[in-house]
Amino acid sequence: MLLVDVGNTLIKWGIPADKVFVAGNAGRWLHAGSMARGEVAALTQAWQGLPVTRVMVSNVAGQAMKEALQAALHAAFGARVKIEWFASQPQLAGVRNHYKNPGQLGCDRFASAIGAHALYPQRALIVATCGTATTVDAVTADGDFLGGMILPGLGVMATSLALNTAQLPQIQTISAVATPFADNTTDAIIAGCIAAQAGAIERAVAAHRVRHGEVLCVLAGGAGPVLMPYVAAPCENVDNLVLIGLHAAAA
């Protein structure tokens, strides 16, 4: 089974080492990789020869990407392969979706919630996926997805300052800063963006804790490792959370 996560920037994929989802083994892959979204055609070569008969895809990049990915899959595996386009629904894999319109919830957010709940069952969770956008979602110990918030990602925040102000620099690389009160403009921008991201996550944890007791924050996405030292709450960083959620859902 090939699992594919098409995000705003990257396409990530993996073939789980275990056919049946087991939380203790989640995130172990027989084959895995990632490519920039614009390189979708190159996936055919990356997938050539893999023994795949079933595919599950989370795609938040629109219809054109869906068609391009479908062409790449058929070129790699032939028309025989079964392609399942993962979509949010009212209930799946132990998670109940309380969005006002369940189908409107981004399928990546639903998959991440499923993955986090499968990894940490019976725990109240804040699931923060920190990529091009940062999404911060609340899941109860019983598997109720309550909803969440969406804000610009760490890199987008820094870039927007450079684009919309006259004299602030473009930040090429976001790395850790030693102090919240930086003594140069570049580090001041980074410190401010990190504080905004970490503050939103901590605020969500505090609000969730009021009604649901102790809360674990599950961080995912490319900026997760950068933000983790700055979040003043119990945290776990999980790679490929969407793929893990797809694996749990497929089972």
Side-chain angles (χ1 to χ4, degrees):
M1 178 172 58
L2 174 66
L3 307 172
V4 185
D5 168 23
V6 185
N8 293 302
T9 304
L10 294 176
I11 301 172
K12 300 179 182 180
W13 57 274
I15 297 177
D18 300 297
K19 291 183 179 180
V20 177
F21 180 86
V22 179
N25 294 331
R28 294 175 56 242
W29 313 102
L30 294 176
H31 304 276
S34 66
M35 288 188 178
R37 205 178 70 176
E39 299 174 351
V40 60
L43 288 169
T44 296
Q45 185 173 354
W47 291 335
Q48 205 76 47
L50 296 178
V52 171
T53 57
R54 182 185 179 192
V55 179
M56 181 174 283
V57 183
S58 166
N59 172 36
V60 299
Q63 182 63 29
M65 175 57 68
K66 179 178 179 179
E67 293 171 1
L69 190 60
Q70 186 166 276
L73 286 164
H74 284 163
F77 307 119
R80 61 178 173 75
V81 71
K82 179 183 179 183
I83 304 173
E84 301 168 51
W85 301 96
F86 182 78
S88 296
Q89 49 193 280
Q91 183 169 333
L92 183 65
V95 174
R96 292 171 294 280
N97 180 356
H98 288 271
Y99 236 47
K100 187 176 293 185
N101 178 354
Q104 194 178 55
L105 175 65
C107 60
D108 56 340
R109 292 170 65 193
F110 192 46
S112 292
I114 289 172
H117 182 65
L119 289 174
Y120 306 103
Q122 302 306 313
R123 298 192 69 174
L125 304 172
I126 287 294
V127 184
T129 302
C130 310
T132 307
T134 295
T135 59
V136 186
D137 295 316
V139 181
T140 70
D142 293 333
D144 288 315
F145 177 94
L146 302 179
M149 61 181 78
I150 303 172
L151 58 153
L154 190 57
V156 172
M157 275 189 173
T159 298
S160 69
L161 280 172
L163 292 176
N164 293 287
T165 56
Q167 298 189 35
L168 292 182
Q170 175 68 59
I171 305 300
Q172 300 300 327
T173 303
I174 294 181
S175 55
V177 290
T179 172
F181 306 113
D183 59 5
N184 64 86
T185 301
T186 295
D187 282 354
I189 292 171
I190 294 172
C193 293
I194 287 175
Q197 298 280 317
I201 294 168
E202 290 170 4
R203 186 178 178 87
V205 169
H208 199 28
R209 187 185 292 132
V210 169
R211 294 190 62 184
H212 298 281
E214 288 305 307
V215 174
L216 175 67
C217 179
V218 180
L219 290 173
V226 176
L227 292 172
M228 188 169 177
Y230 300 94
V231 178
C235 286
E236 294 285 348
N237 186 71
V238 179
D239 288 332
N240 296 314
L241 185 59
V242 172
L243 297 183
I244 290 171
L246 292 179
H247 188 194

PDB file of all heavy atoms in Angstrom, residues 43 45 64 95 107 154 157 192 247:
ATOM      1  N   LEU A  43       7.706  11.531 -10.038  1.00  0.00           N
ATOM      2  CA  LEU A  43       7.314  10.467  -9.123  1.00  0.00           C
ATOM      3  C   LEU A  43       7.179   9.128  -9.843  1.00  0.00           C
ATOM      4  O   LEU A  43       7.390   8.075  -9.242  1.00  0.00           O
ATOM      5  CB  LEU A  43       5.992  10.824  -8.443  1.00  0.00           C
ATOM      6  CG  LEU A  43       6.070  11.932  -7.391  1.00  0.00           C
ATOM      7  CD1 LEU A  43       4.670  12.374  -6.990  1.00  0.00           C
ATOM      8  CD2 LEU A  43       6.839  11.456  -6.170  1.00  0.00           C
ATOM      9  N   GLN A  45       9.112   7.752 -11.995  1.00  0.00           N
ATOM     10  CA  GLN A  45      10.396   7.059 -11.928  1.00  0.00           C
ATOM     11  C   GLN A  45      10.706   6.606 -10.505  1.00  0.00           C
ATOM     12  O   GLN A  45      11.222   5.506 -10.277  1.00  0.00           O
ATOM     13  CB  GLN A  45      11.518   7.960 -12.436  1.00  0.00           C
ATOM     14  CG  GLN A  45      12.875   7.269 -12.515  1.00  0.00           C
ATOM     15  CD  GLN A  45      13.924   8.144 -13.171  1.00  0.00           C
ATOM     16  OE1 GLN A  45      13.630   9.229 -13.664  1.00  0.00           O
ATOM     17  NE2 GLN A  45      15.157   7.667 -13.179  1.00  0.00           N
ATOM     18  N   ALA A  64      -6.086  20.108 -10.437  1.00  0.00           N
ATOM     19  CA  ALA A  64      -5.000  19.928 -11.405  1.00  0.00           C
ATOM     20  C   ALA A  64      -3.936  18.986 -10.849  1.00  0.00           C
ATOM     21  O   ALA A  64      -3.417  18.123 -11.566  1.00  0.00           O
ATOM     22  CB  ALA A  64      -4.386  21.273 -11.774  1.00  0.00           C
ATOM     23  N   VAL A  95     -12.001   8.610  15.249  1.00  0.00           N
ATOM     24  CA  VAL A  95     -12.082  10.065  15.380  1.00  0.00           C
ATOM     25  C   VAL A  95     -13.427  10.549  14.849  1.00  0.00           C
ATOM     26  O   VAL A  95     -13.814  10.219  13.723  1.00  0.00           O
ATOM     27  CB  VAL A  95     -10.929  10.764  14.626  1.00  0.00           C
ATOM     28  CG1 VAL A  95     -11.103  12.282  14.659  1.00  0.00           C
ATOM     29  CG2 VAL A  95      -9.593  10.380  15.248  1.00  0.00           C
ATOM     30  N   CYS A 107      -8.478  17.608   4.387  1.00  0.00           N
ATOM     31  CA  CYS A 107      -8.243  16.173   4.568  1.00  0.00           C
ATOM     32  C   CYS A 107      -6.914  15.919   5.274  1.00  0.00           C
ATOM     33  O   CYS A 107      -6.775  14.920   5.991  1.00  0.00           O
ATOM     34  CB  CYS A 107      -8.312  15.439   3.234  1.00  0.00           C
ATOM     35  SG  CYS A 107      -7.132  15.971   1.979  1.00  0.00           S
ATOM     36  N   LEU A 154       5.533  29.484   9.732  1.00  0.00           N
ATOM     37  CA  LEU A 154       6.703  30.213  10.200  1.00  0.00           C
ATOM     38  C   LEU A 154       7.401  30.935   9.057  1.00  0.00           C
ATOM     39  O   LEU A 154       7.712  32.129   9.143  1.00  0.00           O
ATOM     40  CB  LEU A 154       7.655  29.232  10.891  1.00  0.00           C
ATOM     41  CG  LEU A 154       8.835  29.785  11.669  1.00  0.00           C
ATOM     42  CD1 LEU A 154       8.381  30.748  12.754  1.00  0.00           C
ATOM     43  CD2 LEU A 154       9.629  28.627  12.291  1.00  0.00           C
ATOM     44  N   MET A 157       5.205  33.806   7.569  1.00  0.00           N
ATOM     45  CA  MET A 157       5.225  34.997   8.422  1.00  0.00           C
ATOM     46  C   MET A 157       6.454  35.855   8.137  1.00  0.00           C
ATOM     47  O   MET A 157       6.357  37.077   7.961  1.00  0.00           O
ATOM     48  CB  MET A 157       5.232  34.584   9.898  1.00  0.00           C
ATOM     49  CG  MET A 157       3.883  34.303  10.487  1.00  0.00           C
ATOM     50  SD  MET A 157       4.017  34.094  12.286  1.00  0.00           S
ATOM     51  CE  MET A 157       2.274  33.988  12.704  1.00  0.00           C
ATOM     52  N   GLY A 192      10.365  36.975  16.662  1.00  0.00           N
ATOM     53  CA  GLY A 192       8.964  37.372  16.674  1.00  0.00           C
ATOM     54  C   GLY A 192       8.066  36.322  16.056  1.00  0.00           C
ATOM     55  O   GLY A 192       6.983  36.018  16.586  1.00  0.00           O
ATOM     56  N   HIS A 247      -2.386   5.615   7.123  1.00  0.00           N
ATOM     57  CA  HIS A 247      -2.171   4.195   7.416  1.00  0.00           C
ATOM     58  C   HIS A 247      -3.214   3.703   8.419  1.00  0.00           C
ATOM     59  O   HIS A 247      -3.823   2.637   8.234  1.00  0.00           O
ATOM     60  CB  HIS A 247      -0.753   4.019   7.976  1.00  0.00           C
ATOM     61  CG  HIS A 247      -0.343   2.587   8.133  1.00  0.00           C
ATOM     62  ND1 HIS A 247       0.755   2.218   8.874  1.00  0.00           N
ATOM     63  CD2 HIS A 247      -0.878   1.428   7.650  1.00  0.00           C
ATOM     64  CE1 HIS A 247       0.874   0.893   8.821  1.00  0.00           C
ATOM     65  NE2 HIS A 247      -0.104   0.397   8.099  1.00  0.00           N
TER      66      HIS A 247
END
